[in-house]
């Protein structure tokens, strides 16, 4: 199982985003949090900035939409050329159709669930998604503590994906650090979002540290 590291630019210097992207060029993806101050009580960046980031980023964009009306908004972000677009299950009227629209616009389709949202309905339609994002904090703000209570749900998702034979990635986002990576990886995560754990120090070294922590957990 390949482990991917996706640093979150929510923890980067917003005045120097192009520079911050190049500081993480050893990562597999860059996690771009889009918040609308409606679905979550925070406001970050929107479509024009994502379009520009796509033009200058040395790593593929992993766009995470924390916005209302996901059915309408998600396909627009796929049109930017982003590698992956994640929408929240809780914000979509028809998650399967929204995922299909993302794919039709050239991006990997991903669905996210909050810590308290059952994952059963998502697992019933595994073939509709390329990735499932399990939030390990309440979405909206960086710097929160990892929630171990999400790990049984992650383990259920891993079992379902393995049984299906499908290539569906399992991503975790929230409180990920060298200390919490082992539990996440042992529970089935293969894609790790880390904000302050990367940008809180020298990013290239922090990315290496996360990879090594994941490798030890799998040994």
């Amino acid at each position: 199982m390949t482990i991917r590291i996706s640093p979150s630019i929510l923890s980067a210097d917003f005045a120097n985003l192009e520079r911050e992207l190049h500081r993480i060029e050893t990562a597999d993806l860059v996690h771009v949090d889009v918040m609308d101050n409606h679905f979550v009580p925070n406001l970050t960046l929107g479509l024009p900035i994502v379009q520009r980031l796509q033009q200058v980023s040395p790593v593929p964009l992993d766009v995470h939409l924390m916005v209302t009306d996901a059915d309408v908004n998600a396909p627009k972000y796929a049109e930017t050329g982003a590698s992956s677009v994640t929408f929240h299950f809780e914000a979509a009227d028809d998650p399967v159709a929204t995922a299909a629209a993302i794919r039709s616009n050239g991006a990997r389709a991903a669905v996210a669930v909050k810590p308290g949202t059952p994952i059963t309905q998502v697992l019933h339609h595994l073939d509709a998604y390329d990735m499932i994002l399990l939030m390990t904090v309440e979405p909206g703000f960086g710097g929160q503590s990892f929630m171990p209570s999400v790990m049984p749900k992650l383990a259920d998702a891993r079992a379902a994906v393995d049984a299906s034979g499908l290539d569906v990635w399992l991503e975790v986002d929230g409180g990920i650090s060298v200390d919490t990576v082992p539990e996440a990886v042992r529970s089935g995560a293969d894609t790790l979002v880390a904000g302050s754990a990367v940008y809180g120090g020298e990013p290239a070294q922090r990315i290496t540290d996360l990879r090594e922590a994941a490798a030890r957990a799998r040994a």
Side-chain angles (χ1 to χ4, degrees):
M1 182 173 67
T2 300
I3 300 294
R4 288 164 289 269
I5 307 297
S6 183
S8 170
I9 59 169
L10 189 62
S11 297
D13 179 358
F14 272 29
N16 296 281
L17 284 179
E18 183 174 4
R19 183 198 68 187
E20 297 289 75
L21 289 168
H22 283 275
R23 294 177 74 202
I24 59 164
E25 58 188 4
T26 59
D28 302 284
L29 304 158
V30 56
H31 197 75
V32 182
D33 289 305
V34 176
M35 307 182 194
D36 65 358
N37 204 33
H38 293 283
F39 182 71
V40 293
N42 197 3
L43 183 67
T44 55
L45 42 80
L47 188 59
I49 295 177
V50 173
Q51 290 171 329
R52 185 68 181 122
L53 293 178
Q54 172 62 27
Q55 293 170 353
V56 301
S57 179
V59 292
L61 265 57
D62 171 26
V63 179
H64 177 195
L65 302 179
M66 288 168 271
V67 302
T68 56
D69 299 325
D71 309 87
V72 173
N73 288 307
K76 297 176 183 178
Y77 284 85
E79 291 174 355
T80 67
S83 175
S84 176
V85 175
T86 302
F87 64 93
H88 268 265
F89 182 82
E90 303 89 355
D93 292 327
D94 191 338
V96 171
T98 298
I102 292 171
R103 284 176 170 172
S104 70
N105 282 319
R108 292 174 56 86
V111 62
V113 291
K114 294 181 179 181
T117 299
I119 201 168
T120 309
Q121 293 183 66
V122 172
L123 298 183
H124 285 164
H125 299 281
L126 270 180
D127 60 340
Y129 309 113
D130 300 299
M131 183 170 74
I132 300 170
L133 167 56
L134 293 94
M135 294 298 299
T136 43
V137 297
E138 290 297 334
F141 294 93
Q144 299 182 63
S145 297
F146 177 81
M147 298 173 65
S149 58
V150 176
M151 294 301 97
K153 186 163 65 173
L154 174 57
D156 289 344
R158 170 51 61 197
V161 169
D162 288 350
S164 73
L166 296 169
D167 182 22
V168 180
W169 299 355
L170 295 179
E171 185 173 57
V172 288
D173 179 6
I176 298 300
S177 67
V178 292
D179 296 323
T180 56
V181 159
E183 187 172 4
V185 169
R186 286 194 292 263
S187 296
D190 55 36
T191 307
L192 308 171
V193 177
S196 56
V198 171
Y199 280 110
E202 200 288 306
Q205 183 58 54
R206 293 294 185 92
I207 290 167
T208 297
D209 293 343
L210 291 169
R211 291 195 195 281
E212 292 177 350
R216 287 193 298 271
R218 296 175 59 202

